[in-house]
Amino acid sequence: MTSATMPGSAAALAAATPAGRDRYVDLLRVVSLGVVIAGHWLMAVPVRDAGGTTRVTNVLALVPVLQPMTWLLQVMPVFFLVGGFAHATALASITRRGGGYADFARSRTSRLLRPTAVFAGVWLVLALAAALAGQDHGLVRVALRTVVQPLWFLGVYLGLVALAPVMWRLHRRFGAGVPVALLASAIVVDVLRFHGHPQVAILNLLLVWGAVHQLGFLYADGTLQRGGHKLALLLTGAGLAAVVLLTTVGPYPVSMVGVPGEKVSNMSPPTVALAAHAVWLIGLVLLLRGPATRWLARARVWKAVVAANGLAMTAFLWHLSAAFVVLVAIGGLSLGEPGTAAWWATRPLWLGAAALVTALLVLVFRRFDAARPTVITSAASWPAAIGAALCTLGVLGVSAVGFGGLLDGRTALLLVVPVTAPVTIALVAAGAGMLRIGARKSR
């Protein structure tokens, strides 16, 4: 038996694909994570202050004219759409097999936590070593704080996993009314935010991303597809018009990602402008579904998508680590003044180097990102619910505080509570334990 035909290989998985599988969803997952990775690499710019200390800033802050590019590069809504679809299909499968909330929460959470725990563990060791050696400063400290920041999306995603069974029941009863209600609530939150109550903005983490996640349910049950090109064009046109209006007449910035120095971020926490961006982007996704599906019917194309899906999450976790390896290798140079012709000319070299180091890291760590079959245990729901909530808070906390200044007691706000890195790690560990305790009792 050759490696190409071994069970579990990309070729074997591609050959065993059920006829009814929506291959387009797999492509969307790969493309969305790939665009996010490339966007992070393009936006990262090292700069040196007067004292010679290197820090990393965002090219969008240095060259504001590039900010409209984020209307194409900000594709996280597509990932959350795919998440809604995946959770709908997983819930249906687990329910058919007699499973319940605990089985769903444990299987979906552990799928994300295994590779994330390895990633965080490696950087935690590096942070301790840097602190003990007195090297937790300069570019090292920037790396220790920055590499974990993309985990915010995993934290939000874990929160949606915890809520998915409840939201699925609401979907089955109210359908499209659920995302409409969530988006209407997000508008209310933004009105309050811009009228003297900025503390309520954090609610939009749930409302905006939850609405996009519910649209994934509408994709899973075929509602969006049944709307055809008419609905796709309506979503694209209305969403794009709303984005233009909100970012020109309204109080929202043009960039769909956070930009250093901006008073308002469309991303953290998400705004109605980002919700409108999600609507037009999902409309575009629906418009491209037909030709993309026909393209995916080709055996070589589908095999490549299957292979990429097996690597995508590992690549996402380690792509900023790879970028810092390259930065260290080139001595923290920016390779040209950002936005100039010389800078653009060096971008292929920068992207290629970051991709090469990421590929090497994927080879080392991909083994921790393997899907495992869901074991039905009929465990109690409440330990799993608590565990999922703790994991959500812990991962969000890690992304906020980072590992820089680990021994200095550095804190960051987790929602409204200051936390340290050890506290956030403890939350994740406690959550993982709660997710397993019910299963052990059931067995």
Side-chain angles (χ1 to χ4, degrees):
M1 180 180 293
T2 66
S3 60
T5 58
M6 288 178 62
S9 70
L13 291 173
T17 302
R21 185 180 181 91
D22 192 328
R23 301 183 179 193
Y24 188 41
V25 171
D26 296 276
L27 176 65
L28 291 175
R29 180 177 184 267
V30 170
V31 170
S32 60
L33 288 178
V35 171
V36 169
I37 289 171
H40 284 168
W41 287 340
L42 280 172
M43 289 186 292
V45 176
V47 294
R48 285 180 177 168
D49 58 25
T53 301
T54 299
R55 60 184 178 86
V56 177
T57 188
N58 193 322
V59 70
L60 300 176
L62 302 176
V63 191
V65 72
L66 298 178
Q67 292 183 14
M69 288 178 57
T70 61
W71 291 19
L72 292 176
L73 294 176
Q74 173 51 284
V75 293
M76 287 311 298
V78 177
F79 188 88
F80 282 103
L81 176 81
V82 171
F85 173 90
H87 294 157
T89 54
L91 280 166
S93 173
I94 289 172
T95 301
R96 283 195 305 268
R97 294 160 58 195
Y101 177 91
D103 301 302
F104 171 80
R106 187 178 62 255
S107 64
R108 303 303 294 180
T109 302
S110 63
R111 176 72 175 82
L112 293 172
L113 283 184
R114 281 195 304 274
T116 303
V118 173
F119 166 77
V122 169
W123 274 102
L124 184 60
V125 170
L126 292 174
L128 283 170
L132 293 173
Q135 298 299 314
D136 185 4
H137 54 78
L139 190 59
V140 172
R141 175 163 288 202
V142 172
L144 292 173
R145 292 183 180 180
T146 304
V147 293
V148 296
Q149 286 179 357
L151 294 184
W152 72 263
F153 114 85
L154 286 178
V156 175
Y157 195 84
L158 287 170
L160 293 174
V161 167
L163 294 172
V166 174
M167 300 309 293
W168 176 248
R169 286 196 289 271
L170 289 175
H171 164 78
R172 295 183 65 180
R173 182 171 181 180
F174 300 107
V178 180
V180 170
L182 290 172
L183 289 175
S185 300
I187 293 173
V188 173
V189 167
D190 268 14
V191 170
L192 293 172
R193 175 184 187 177
F194 289 110
H195 288 80
H197 302 282
Q199 66 276 10
V200 304
I202 197 69
L203 295 176
N204 273 353
L205 273 176
L206 174 63
L207 295 173
V208 172
W209 293 123
V212 178
H213 188 262
Q214 291 296 126
L215 292 176
F217 288 167
L218 290 170
Y219 185 93
D221 69 10
T223 299
L224 295 181
Q225 297 89 311
R226 287 192 294 271
H229 270 62
K230 190 173 183 179
L231 176 61
L233 287 171
L234 176 63
L235 293 174
T236 305
L240 198 53
V243 172
V244 172
L245 186 65
L246 291 168
T247 56
T248 54
V249 179
Y252 301 95
V254 170
S255 176
M256 290 298 142
V257 302
V259 177
E262 292 275 6
K263 293 182 179 180
V264 176
S265 168
N266 280 322
M267 187 66 180
S268 180
T271 63
V272 171
L274 185 64
H277 170 72
V279 169
W280 90 261
L281 203 58
I282 290 170
L284 180 62
V285 163
L286 293 173
L287 286 172
L288 296 176
R289 183 173 182 269
T293 299
R294 291 189 291 273
W295 182 59
L296 289 166
R298 301 177 183 179
R300 288 185 178 180
V301 173
W302 177 235
K303 179 182 173 182
V305 171
V306 171
N309 252 307
L311 309 174
M313 184 55 67
T314 304
F316 177 82
L317 287 170
W318 291 96
H319 75 282
L320 285 183
S321 304
F324 276 101
V325 170
V326 177
L327 279 178
V328 171
I330 63 176
L333 301 176
S334 63
L335 301 178
E337 188 68 23
T340 63
W343 184 81
W344 281 110
T346 60
R347 289 313 86 190
L349 295 175
W350 164 250
L351 293 175
L356 177 60
V357 177
T358 299
L360 295 175
L361 291 171
V362 167
L363 287 175
V364 174
F365 295 105
R366 61 178 294 187
R367 71 191 71 179
F368 303 105
D369 188 21
R372 298 180 183 180
T374 302
V375 178
I376 302 300
T377 63
S378 299
S381 296
W382 68 266
I386 294 174
L390 290 175
C391 288
T392 298
L393 293 173
V395 173
L396 285 173
V398 170
S399 72
V401 72
F403 292 140
L406 187 64
L407 300 183
D408 299 334
R410 180 176 184 267
T411 65
L413 285 181
L414 172 57
L415 302 181
V416 294
V417 179
V419 294
T420 62
V423 168
T424 61
I425 294 294
L427 286 173
V428 176
M434 290 296 293
L435 284 165
R436 292 179 60 85
I437 190 171
R440 287 199 299 268
K441 288 182 177 179
S442 178
R443 289 192 183 99

